[in-house]
Amino acid sequence: MIGKGVKIIFLMSLAALLLLTVYEMRDFGEPEGKMYIYDPVAGENVDGSVERTAMDDFFLANSTSDETATNNVVSAVVFDYRGFDTLGEATVLFAAVTGVMMALRGAFPEKGHAKKRKGGGVK
Amino acid sequence: MKPMSSVVRTITKLLLGPIFLFGAYIILHGHLTPGGGFQGGAIIATVMTLVLIAFGTRVWKKNILSFIESTGLLAFVGLGFLGLGSGFFLFNFLAGSDSLFFGKVIEPVTGEFAGWPANSAPLLSGGTVPLLNLFVGMEVVAALTLIIITMGLFAFDGKEGE
């Protein structure tokens, strides 16, 4: 077993790391901030001189106009640019329901197996 | 689960409409304001659960909910395949068209569409985004309600009967 002191030290260092991350974040609602961009020519990360990433600019420029005509940029990303991801989430929910109904199928008064069960069967 | 007392049932009848309306608003305005199909579906599922607790587990029919859930997911995939006709899977083929619903509205002054200004788009905008919101909302409502019905039937009705 790991001692209590080791656990406390580990959690404290983890908390310090997370707080340091918060300090490095850009301000709320401010797209400008210090960003590290990978420069393929120099082969290393450099301090970003641009205000936003190219992806941010693309979403902000195109989501409200012809491409999706959606006022809410978040909805445009979730349901249009990343619509395949949303389809995956819905499928996960469908699979969860299928699993629950299969595992607890004795709860429904179907023909046959409901009468044989004692615990969850309905008369 | 047995139905609860008349106090609970009366309050449930009172709260049913407003919560349902709020959930429907969150779903249908998903492309205009924060929210969407998942969030609004979860809100409507709470109403279903409230009715379930107050009136007993036999209120909702399992087959109808299964049908709604399957329809929502199939419609999502079907709309995605419709996008294949003009681009790729889940392509927003309604947004750039001049169709009556969900298309672009040409400004009368300039004669062209420049995009919606911040926070002032009409309800019929967004191309396929509101339709996908609606389908996801249907699926989430039916799925969460089905899970809760199944667990409630399994946990309570086996012992207490009805």
Side-chain angles (χ1 to χ4, degrees):
Chain A
M1 284 293 287
I2 309 168
K4 202 178 233 178
V6 179
K7 284 181 190 169
I8 288 176
I9 289 171
F10 176 73
L11 288 176
M12 293 273 279
S13 54
L14 193 64
L17 199 66
L18 292 175
L19 285 174
L20 200 67
T21 313
V22 171
Y23 179 73
E24 287 284 326
M25 279 170 69
R26 54 181 104 172
D27 292 336
F28 182 75
E30 287 290 326
E32 300 177 20
K34 187 196 283 183
M35 301 188 63
Y36 298 101
I37 298 169
Y38 181 72
D39 190 0
V41 178
E44 58 184 3
N45 289 336
V46 294
D47 280 7
S49 55
V50 296
E51 298 176 345
R52 315 180 185 99
T53 61
M55 192 66 99
D56 293 344
D57 281 335
F58 180 83
F59 285 150
L60 290 174
N62 291 316
S63 66
T64 57
S65 64
D66 261 1
E67 203 161 270
T68 67
T70 306
N71 193 20
N72 189 347
V73 181
V74 176
S75 274
V77 171
V78 168
F79 282 96
D80 196 303
Y81 295 110
R82 302 285 179 266
F84 200 67
D85 186 76
T86 308
L87 175 62
E89 286 179 37
T91 313
V92 164
L93 200 60
F94 191 85
V97 173
T98 311
V100 167
M101 290 187 71
M102 191 207 70
L104 307 180
R105 63 188 179 280
F108 286 112
E110 310 258 10
K111 294 178 275 185
H113 51 72
K115 288 173 187 168
K116 292 173 193 165
R117 274 190 103 263
K118 277 186 179 177
V122 181
K123 56 191 173 178
Chain B
M1 194 185 290
K2 285 174 184 166
M4 293 187 77
S5 66
S6 67
V7 177
V8 178
R9 277 181 276 139
T10 310
I11 295 296
T12 301
K13 282 177 192 168
L14 210 65
L15 287 176
L16 196 150
I19 302 179
F20 187 89
L21 197 66
F22 181 62
Y25 159 75
I26 292 286
I27 290 178
L28 293 177
H29 282 231
H31 57 299
L32 303 174
T33 53
F38 284 102
Q39 295 86 348
I43 291 171
I44 294 184
T46 57
V47 175
M48 301 290 218
T49 311
L50 189 65
V51 173
L52 208 71
I53 290 170
F55 291 95
T57 34
R58 298 305 175 86
V59 178
W60 306 115
K61 294 280 184 288
K62 178 193 71 158
N63 293 333
I64 299 173
L65 288 168
S66 282
F67 179 75
I68 292 174
E69 190 194 3
S70 308
T71 307
L73 198 56
L74 281 176
F76 195 103
V77 178
L79 202 62
F81 273 116
L82 280 182
L84 277 178
S86 46
F88 41 84
F89 188 65
L90 284 170
F91 182 74
N92 199 339
F93 59 95
L94 286 172
S97 65
D98 287 328
S99 57
L100 177 61
F101 296 117
F102 308 113
K104 59 181 176 182
V105 178
I106 296 171
E107 290 181 39
V109 181
T110 59
E112 59 185 16
F113 179 70
W116 305 119
N119 295 324
S120 65
L123 189 61
L124 293 177
S125 68
T128 56
V129 172
L131 291 174
L132 294 176
N133 261 319
L134 189 64
F135 296 148
V136 167
M138 283 166 58
E139 208 248 332
V140 170
V141 169
L144 295 181
T145 315
L146 265 177
I147 288 178
I148 290 164
I149 284 179
T150 312
M151 289 187 167
L153 278 175
F154 189 80
F156 297 108
D157 282 13
K159 295 168 194 165
E160 297 177 15
E162 195 170 345

